[in-house]
Amino acid sequence: MRGELGEGGLGHRLDLAEVLVDRGQPATLPEAIALAREEVSRRGSTEARFQLARALARSGARDAREEAAREVRAALASGAHEAQLYELAAALEAQRGDTAAAALYTRLADRLDPGGSGWRALDVGQLR
C-alpha cells in the first residue's frame, strides 16, 4: 500500500491507516494519524473520521482523545448510524467520565448489532 501511495495511487491512504491502527503498534500510530488526517481533509467521510478518531484514541494522549471525540461527534452529526462508531463514542465518553453518554452509545451500538456480529472482536473501542 505504501508503494502505491508513493506512486500517486488513490484510495489506499485510509486502508493503510486502518491497518496501522488494527496492528496496535504505538510506533506506527503517528503515521496512521497523519494518513487519516489527510484523508479527512480531502473528503471528510464518516469512515475517514472514524479511522482518524480510532488512531487518535489509541495514541493515548489526552488532547488526542479530545480530538477523537470531536471527530466522532462530526461523524455522528453527518447522520451516520454505525455500531462501530457508537462503540467508539461509548469508549471515549466513558474515558471522559460521562457514564450516561457512554451507556447511551453502548445501547445504540447494541441495537444496531444485537447479535454481536464479530466486529467487537476487533476492539474498536479499545483505548490506551
Side-chain angles (χ1 to χ4, degrees):
M1 277 189 251
R2 283 187 179 104
E4 290 182 26
L5 283 173
E7 296 170 2
L10 301 174
H12 295 293
R13 213 175 347 277
L14 198 56
D15 294 335
L16 180 54
E18 182 176 9
V19 167
L20 293 173
V21 173
D22 286 346
R23 286 185 181 162
Q25 298 173 348
T28 61
L29 288 174
E31 181 181 7
I33 291 169
L35 290 165
R37 275 193 178 127
E38 187 174 344
E39 194 64 20
V40 167
S41 73
R42 289 175 184 253
R43 58 182 183 104
S45 68
T46 298
E47 181 63 20
R49 291 186 184 283
F50 173 67
Q51 294 303 334
L52 176 56
R54 286 183 66 219
L56 289 163
R58 288 269 178 103
S59 76
R62 181 177 172 81
D63 59 334
R65 288 192 307 265
E66 290 300 320
E67 184 180 353
R70 285 192 302 274
E71 290 299 331
V72 167
R73 285 192 294 273
L76 291 172
S78 75
H81 297 285
E82 296 179 23
Q84 296 92 335
L85 189 57
Y86 286 128
E87 182 81 3
L88 181 56
L92 289 165
E93 292 299 339
Q95 202 167 54
R96 292 179 56 204
D98 190 341
T99 56
L104 170 66
Y105 288 132
T106 298
R107 282 193 306 275
L108 291 169
D110 289 343
R111 190 175 301 154
L112 289 171
D113 186 29
S117 64
W119 60 265
R120 285 189 167 121
L122 297 174
D123 292 324
V124 168
Q126 178 184 4
L127 306 179
R128 291 189 93 185

